[in-house]
Amino acid sequence: MSRSPASDPPEGNLYDRLSAGFPADRTKPCFLLSDGRAISYGELEAQVGRTAGRLVAEGVQPGDRVALQAEKTPEAIVVYLATLKAGAVFLPLNSAYTRAEVDYFLGDAEPRVFITDPPAYVRDAEGYEPLAAAVPRAASDLASLIYTSGTTGRSKGAMLSHGALATNAVALHAAWGFTGDDVLLHALPVFHVHGLFVALHCALLSGCSMVWLPRFNDAEVLAGLARATVMMGVPTFYTRLLANPAFTREAASHVRVFISGSAPLLPSTFAEFEARTGQRILERYGMSEAVIITTNPLDGDRVPGSVGYPLPGVELRIGGGEETGVIEIRGPSVFGGYWRMPEKTAQEFTADGFFVTGDVGRVDPDGRVWISGRAKDLIISGGYNVYPKEVELVLDELPGVVESAVIGVPHADFGEAVVAVVQGQGDETAMVAEARRQLAAYKVPKRVIFVDELPRNAMGKVQKNLLRERYAGLLA
Ligand code: AMP
């Protein structure tokens, strides 16, 4: 993998940076829609110009927030790009948020405009004078506010600058070898960094077409794979594909790389995918506060269980002086802090400017990064630290287990006791005995609970906070 030294982030408006990648032939499709229609780069550019003109005419000033909560459509992307072009700050909100949840974000971010019907907003921008040139922006100027999924406490707005997003986009575009000949299968939501920045920016920077799906749907994804050269997804996309017998080696053969992230990819999924298709999923690691942090190489070995090497523009170290500890990162692609939360921001950065990610991991002698879980998921049982991942890796190998989630629940003697929640079937006693053969006694689950489905958020992450709540009384 090529690695250039971390450098200062590029100056200028991110929209100019992205549109510099648009194809010379603007009739080329940007969005390929499932109903057979296409939207060209030229149409996109014209709609962005008019929509930016409308935003400015409605009083949006540089630095103002433009909030959007809507279904995934090409027009949602027009609004995003128009917001950048107008020098304003894009605030996407999960389409599943309730009115009460949205009220919190609107109160906190105080957007100038809140758009809930992007197709109508873009259509009604028709009569407006297009904004000819993007409003000049410095590298440190805010481009987007991304509220973290917030499994504990108040959701925080990560402030991402034009320079940070540009640095990350340029690094990913190079790392994953994007060219104008690629076709990206885009089935991710666009209220989250994965779909909005990681996937979209790679496509726009290379001027390639996207198979644009409102959501993951087996039949549409399978049809899209016949045209796509790159697919990006969360691990559940890949497990769902594998569950479908129509997903064969042949069905995957047009795709040059399948990329996974936002949640851990199980080594068993990696192996099953390789056995089925002959292709090794490329896993990468990121978060709202830094977009992408590490990636497995495009050329070179993709190691299951490892999230690869830090991207150019990211310095990564392990805090705490032990081999395994909390991952800390620094560099021009890292966010500038949490919106209107200076104390929280100060707590989560070290004195020398590293952001403390909250993910626990290690770096092997080869420089590869391995993640063992979230610091807040660490279980302290009888004074011993138990990393859930270590136990999950053992359980996931046992017959009948689709996926396990290991949590700590309150326990009178141990403080916390290790409990496994297993998606799948099996015998509790046998499973505990098998775990005991492989693990020190203090790591072995006191109970194993079988469920049909683990609770997951929109990005496929297992919601351990919900499991901890659900089973809080189990051993109390
Ligand atoms: P979000 O800010 O919602 O994107 O969540 C970011 C979190 O997702 C990270 O801090 C990690 O805990 C987790 N995550 C993302 N990618 C991976 C990955 N490849 N392996 C393990 N965890 C991941």
Side-chain angles (χ1 to χ4, degrees), residues 385-402:
N385 287 359
V386 180
Y387 290 105
K389 183 72 171 248
E390 192 187 347
V391 184
E392 288 159 7
L393 285 172
V394 169
L395 300 179
D396 288 349
E397 290 303 311
L398 303 181
V401 176
V402 177

Side-chain angles (χ1 to χ4, degrees), residues 149 192 262-264 283-288 307 359 371 374 461:
S149 14
H192 182 271
S262 287
E283 185 176 12
R284 93 299 179 287
Y285 154 61
M287 62 197 310
S288 302
V307 292
D359 289 313
I371 294 179
R374 299 283 299 165
K461 284 193 235 299

Side-chain angles (χ1 to χ4, degrees), residues 325-395:
V326 176
I327 295 173
E328 300 179 352
I329 54 173
R330 183 169 73 176
S333 65
V334 177
F335 79 130
Y338 293 113
W339 175 256
R340 292 181 177 165
M341 287 187 175
E343 295 84 19
K344 188 81 198 157
T345 301
Q347 277 167 21
E348 301 204 6
F349 279 87
T350 63
D352 58 350
F354 277 77
F355 171 58
V356 181
T357 62
D359 289 313
V360 176
R362 66 186 171 86
V363 182
D364 71 16
D366 192 30
R368 288 179 198 272
V369 178
W370 299 74
I371 294 179
S372 32
R374 299 283 299 165
K376 65 178 190 325
D377 292 335
L378 176 74
I379 304 166
I380 304 179
S381 187
Y384 291 106
N385 287 359
V386 180
Y387 290 105
K389 183 72 171 248
E390 192 187 347
V391 184
E392 288 159 7
L393 285 172
V394 169
L395 300 179

Side-chain angles (χ1 to χ4, degrees), residues 177-261:
F178 267 86
T179 74
D181 293 333
D182 277 315
V183 176
L184 173 71
L185 188 134
H186 194 308
L188 291 156
V190 291
F191 51 73
H192 182 271
V193 292
H194 195 167
L196 183 61
F197 302 144
V198 181
L200 182 73
H201 290 175
C202 280
L204 297 180
L205 270 182
S206 57
C208 77
S209 304
M210 288 178 277
V211 172
W212 187 258
L213 303 178
R215 63 190 61 80
F216 187 98
N217 161 300
D218 282 38
E220 287 184 336
V221 168
L222 280 169
L225 288 177
R227 322 172 71 173
T229 62
V230 180
M231 172 167 169
M232 289 191 199
V234 295
T236 36
F237 284 11
Y238 297 114
T239 51
R240 284 182 61 182
L241 276 176
L242 286 168
N244 188 331
F247 182 62
T248 57
R249 193 184 185 96
E250 173 58 25
S253 64
H254 197 256
V255 176
R256 68 175 177 87
V257 60
F258 291 91
I259 301 174
S260 174

Side-chain angles (χ1 to χ4, degrees), residues 7-222:
S7 55
D8 288 337
E11 293 293 334
N13 191 308
L14 173 65
Y15 179 69
D16 284 338
R17 168 67 61 150
L18 295 172
S19 57
F22 291 3
D25 173 8
R26 294 289 211 260
T27 64
K28 178 174 175 177
C30 176
F31 299 97
L32 299 164
L33 308 178
S34 2
D35 62 7
R37 285 185 308 132
I39 297 172
S40 71
Y41 271 96
E43 288 170 84
L44 172 71
E45 202 169 33
Q47 290 181 0
V48 168
R50 287 195 299 266
T51 307
R54 175 172 180 184
L55 289 170
V56 172
E58 289 180 344
V60 171
Q61 306 275 327
D64 280 351
R65 277 73 60 207
V66 172
L68 181 141
Q69 187 194 30
E71 292 307 313
K72 178 181 174 184
T73 55
E75 288 84 357
I77 301 306
V78 171
V79 170
Y80 163 52
L81 296 174
T83 302
L84 291 179
K85 189 169 187 184
V89 178
F90 188 63
L91 164 57
L93 294 170
N94 189 325
S95 44
Y97 285 152
T98 61
R99 185 66 226 192
E101 287 167 318
V102 168
D103 283 346
Y104 163 73
F105 297 109
L106 300 185
D108 193 51
E110 298 184 296
R112 170 83 57 179
V113 184
F114 176 36
I115 297 171
T116 54
D117 187 350
Y121 194 85
V122 171
R123 191 178 56 240
D124 296 346
E126 200 74 39
Y128 285 80
E129 188 61 34
L131 185 67
V135 172
R137 295 277 79 190
S140 60
D141 282 331
L142 209 51
S144 185
L145 206 50
I146 300 287
Y147 279 86
T148 55
S149 14
T151 45
T152 49
R154 281 174 64 203
S155 181
K156 300 163 288 193
M159 298 192 289
L160 292 155
S161 67
H162 284 259
L165 292 177
T167 304
N168 212 260
V170 168
L172 286 180
H173 175 261
W176 296 338
F178 267 86
T179 74
D181 293 333
D182 277 315
V183 176
L184 173 71
L185 188 134
H186 194 308
L188 291 156
V190 291
F191 51 73
H192 182 271
V193 292
H194 195 167
L196 183 61
F197 302 144
V198 181
L200 182 73
H201 290 175
C202 280
L204 297 180
L205 270 182
S206 57
C208 77
S209 304
M210 288 178 277
V211 172
W212 187 258
L213 303 178
R215 63 190 61 80
F216 187 98
N217 161 300
D218 282 38
E220 287 184 336
V221 168
L222 280 169

